[in-house]
Amino acid sequence: QSALTQPASVSASPGQSITISCAGSSSDIGTYKLVSWYQQHPGKVPKLIIYEASRRPSEVSTRFSASKSGNTASLTISGLQADDEADYYCSSYVGSSNWVFGGGTKLTVL
Amino acid sequence: QMYLQESGPGLVKPSEALSLTCTVSGDSITTNSYYWDWIRQPPGKGLEWIGTVYYTGTTYSSPSLQSRVTISIDTSTNQFSLKMISVTATDTAVYYCARRSAASLRQGAFDLWGQGTMVTVS
């Protein structure tokens, strides 16, 4: 299976909002709701921030939200803060008990 | 509180086998609530799913790696393992073990990760 497609980088100023897309196909995102998002600071372990396409763990800030439409999932971060600067990865179930990640998006807070 | 910890050699010679173990502490690995996965990340690159094992011993692997990968579980020691044969420099990466929910709650989410272990093939 192919990796999901994410923009290599996005940037915005503190307080602004950004959206990161995660493009898949009818075989993965388009069929299954099992999309999750991860935040990874440099040198750190990935952290789950969204699961089942739009659900947020209780310990994750409400500034993080996500959705899925057709073959594309999206992560939105509102009220950007300096600590949001990190790499973000989407992941999806692709059937046959297999999983795939996106290539990752580097978020820069200007 | 459950913890995962990877262990294994940090340096492997080309064409040899890479073997890693993930020790699960804080709860039993035989719970039916989770799958146990391996994920890797080459330096400066993205995450790649390698494969998974369930407490029953059922395993699944990425099609691109399955010919070289064996994943197993040892319930007596609360550990699961990864073996990758015929490694090359492209297998150099940080290898993570992770827990993935099998239940309806957080289904499919990798919600707990080990700290990762760097494996260099050289």
Side-chain angles (χ1 to χ4, degrees):
Chain A
Q1 61 267 9
S2 301
L4 306 173
T5 301
Q6 299 181 233
S9 63
V10 297
S11 62
S13 300
Q16 293 186 324
S17 297
I18 61 96
T19 296
I20 298 172
S21 61
C22 173
S25 71
S26 57
S27 300
D28 40 63
I29 294 177
T31 298
Y32 305 103
K33 70 172 184 177
L34 300 180
V35 178
S36 51
W37 288 89
Y38 303 85
Q39 177 192 61
Q40 185 181 34
H41 288 108
K44 301 298 185 182
V45 176
K47 172 189 174 184
L48 174 69
I49 55 174
I50 295 288
Y51 64 97
E52 293 180 17
S54 61
R55 295 178 180 268
R56 185 181 56 250
S58 58
E59 63 272 21
V60 173
S61 171
T62 56
R63 298 184 299 104
F64 292 87
S65 62
S67 62
K68 182 175 84 81
S69 178
N71 299 337
T72 300
S74 298
L75 171 71
T76 297
I77 309 174
S78 59
L80 273 176
Q81 300 177 358
D83 188 54
D84 296 333
E85 186 161 294
D87 293 327
Y88 292 85
Y89 294 92
C90 59
S91 173
S92 176
Y93 182 60
V94 297
S96 302
S97 300
N98 278 249
W99 301 81
V100 70
F101 284 93
T105 298
K106 180 178 178 61
L107 168 62
T108 300
V109 180
L110 301 170
Chain B
Q1 184 83 354
M2 185 181 286
Y3 295 96
L4 306 181
Q5 179 66 59
E6 307 87 351
S7 59
L11 183 63
V12 181
K13 296 184 186 301
S15 81
E16 296 191 345
L18 174 164
S19 293
L20 297 174
T21 296
C22 182
T23 300
V24 179
S25 58
D27 202 349
S28 174
I29 202 171
T30 59
T31 173
N32 63 0
S33 297
Y34 301 109
Y35 288 91
W36 307 100
D37 289 58
W38 288 99
I39 296 161
R40 70 179 181 178
Q41 184 172 35
K45 297 188 177 182
L47 301 168
E48 180 182 18
W49 181 76
I50 299 172
T52 187
V53 62
Y54 198 45
Y55 78 99
T56 57
T58 300
T59 63
Y60 301 96
S61 301
S62 169
S64 64
L65 296 171
Q66 64 181 15
S67 64
R68 298 195 294 127
V69 163
T70 301
I71 298 174
S72 59
I73 191 166
D74 187 340
T75 56
S76 67
T77 58
N78 235 38
Q79 296 175 326
F80 63 104
S81 300
L82 168 69
K83 182 177 181 180
M84 182 180 294
I85 64 172
S86 305
V87 298
T88 69
T90 59
D91 294 312
T92 294
V94 174
Y95 285 76
Y96 294 101
C97 59
R99 181 183 80 179
R100 174 168 51 87
S101 176
S104 58
L105 180 64
R106 297 193 180 186
Q107 188 179 13
F110 302 98
D111 66 352
L112 182 66
W113 298 61
Q115 286 301 303
T117 186
M118 180 68 200
V119 178
T120 301
V121 178
S122 177

